[in-house]
């Protein structure tokens, strides 16, 4: 079982967080680190528990060679802070929710914004991944662009954590 655990968190766990999970898992596999890092995703809300990925997100992922067909939405639970080394929120609203849920200062330290690993986003002060759910299909491709960039930055940091 991998020793380092990451969970991506958005609101409903049918768009952004499963997209980030799939992208990052692919990067880990390409880097030969999939056996050292476990990746999952969840939502802060319960509305979509048990559902698959939004079909527009699925199309955007499929167009770039990713497969999210096995995903089923889950809700983030309090005890997940103990089970994960890094809790990555996709936007500031979910970041605030996760920090409120954190049972201790140590748990709070595990919570970060995913785009804080994207140097360009940090420079611009634009750290939220917008929610494409209520927009058109083009929003999912844009979100995927943001996720791929942030996940590449995250990989650099994770490699330092799990390097032999």
């Amino acid at each position: 079982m991998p020793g380092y655990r990451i969970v991506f968190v958005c609101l409903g766990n049918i768009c952004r967080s499963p997209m980030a999970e799939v992208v990052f898992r692919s990067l880990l596999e390409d880097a030969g680190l999939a056996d050292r890092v476990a990746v999952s995703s969840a939502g802060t809300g319960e509305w979509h528990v048990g559902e698959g990925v939004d079909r527009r997100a699925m199309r955007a992922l499929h167009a770039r060679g990713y497969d999210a067909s096995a995903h089923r939405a889950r809700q983030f639970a309090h005890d997940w802070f103990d089970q994960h080394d890094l809790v990555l929120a996709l936007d500031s609203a979910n970041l605030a929710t996760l920090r409120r849920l954190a049972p201790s200062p140590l748990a709070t330290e595990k919570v970060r914004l995913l785009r804080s690993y994207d140097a360009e986003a940090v420079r611009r002060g634009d750290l939220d991944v917008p929610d494409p759910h209520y927009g058109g299909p083009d929003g999912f491709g844009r979100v995927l662009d943001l996720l791929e960039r942030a996940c590449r930055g995250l990989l650099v940091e994770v490699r330092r954590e799990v390097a032999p």
Side-chain angles (χ1 to χ4, degrees):
M1 176 142 227
Y4 196 79
R5 300 178 60 86
I6 298 171
V7 60
F8 296 96
V9 183
C10 67
L11 190 59
N13 194 221
I14 60 168
C15 296
R16 296 171 293 170
S17 58
M19 291 172 79
E21 175 187 355
V22 168
V23 167
F24 196 62
R25 184 172 288 124
S26 176
L27 289 173
L28 288 170
E29 288 171 9
D30 291 348
L33 297 173
D35 61 333
R36 293 187 224 166
V37 182
V39 182
S40 62
S41 65
T44 55
E46 63 182 284
W47 312 278
H48 299 290
V49 169
E51 293 179 22
V53 173
D54 180 286
R55 60 180 155 52
R56 297 164 296 172
M58 188 73 83
R59 278 196 295 272
L61 288 165
H62 182 73
R64 296 196 196 175
Y66 300 109
D67 179 17
S69 60
H71 175 78
R72 291 297 170 261
R74 303 180 305 161
Q75 185 177 15
F76 189 87
H78 288 90
D79 64 345
W80 289 19
F81 287 105
D82 291 335
Q83 299 170 17
H84 292 86
D85 300 289
L86 197 53
V87 178
L88 295 172
L90 278 286
D91 62 34
S92 54
N94 285 294
L95 177 76
T97 299
L98 289 164
R99 287 183 172 164
R100 278 193 308 274
L101 290 173
S104 69
L106 182 61
T108 304
E109 289 177 21
K110 296 179 179 186
V111 182
R112 298 192 184 109
L113 284 167
L114 172 59
R115 289 194 70 207
S116 68
Y117 294 94
D118 177 347
E120 182 181 326
V122 171
R123 182 180 50 76
R124 288 192 331 258
D126 180 18
L127 298 179
D128 283 356
V129 176
D131 189 344
H133 185 73
Y134 296 105
D138 293 345
F140 289 85
R142 181 179 172 332
V143 162
L144 192 48
D145 291 340
L146 299 175
L147 295 174
E148 287 176 332
R149 249 192 334 267
C151 284
R152 285 191 296 270
L154 174 61
L155 180 63
V156 171
E157 293 299 318
V158 168
R159 188 173 281 162
R160 290 182 190 141
E161 289 291 327
V162 301

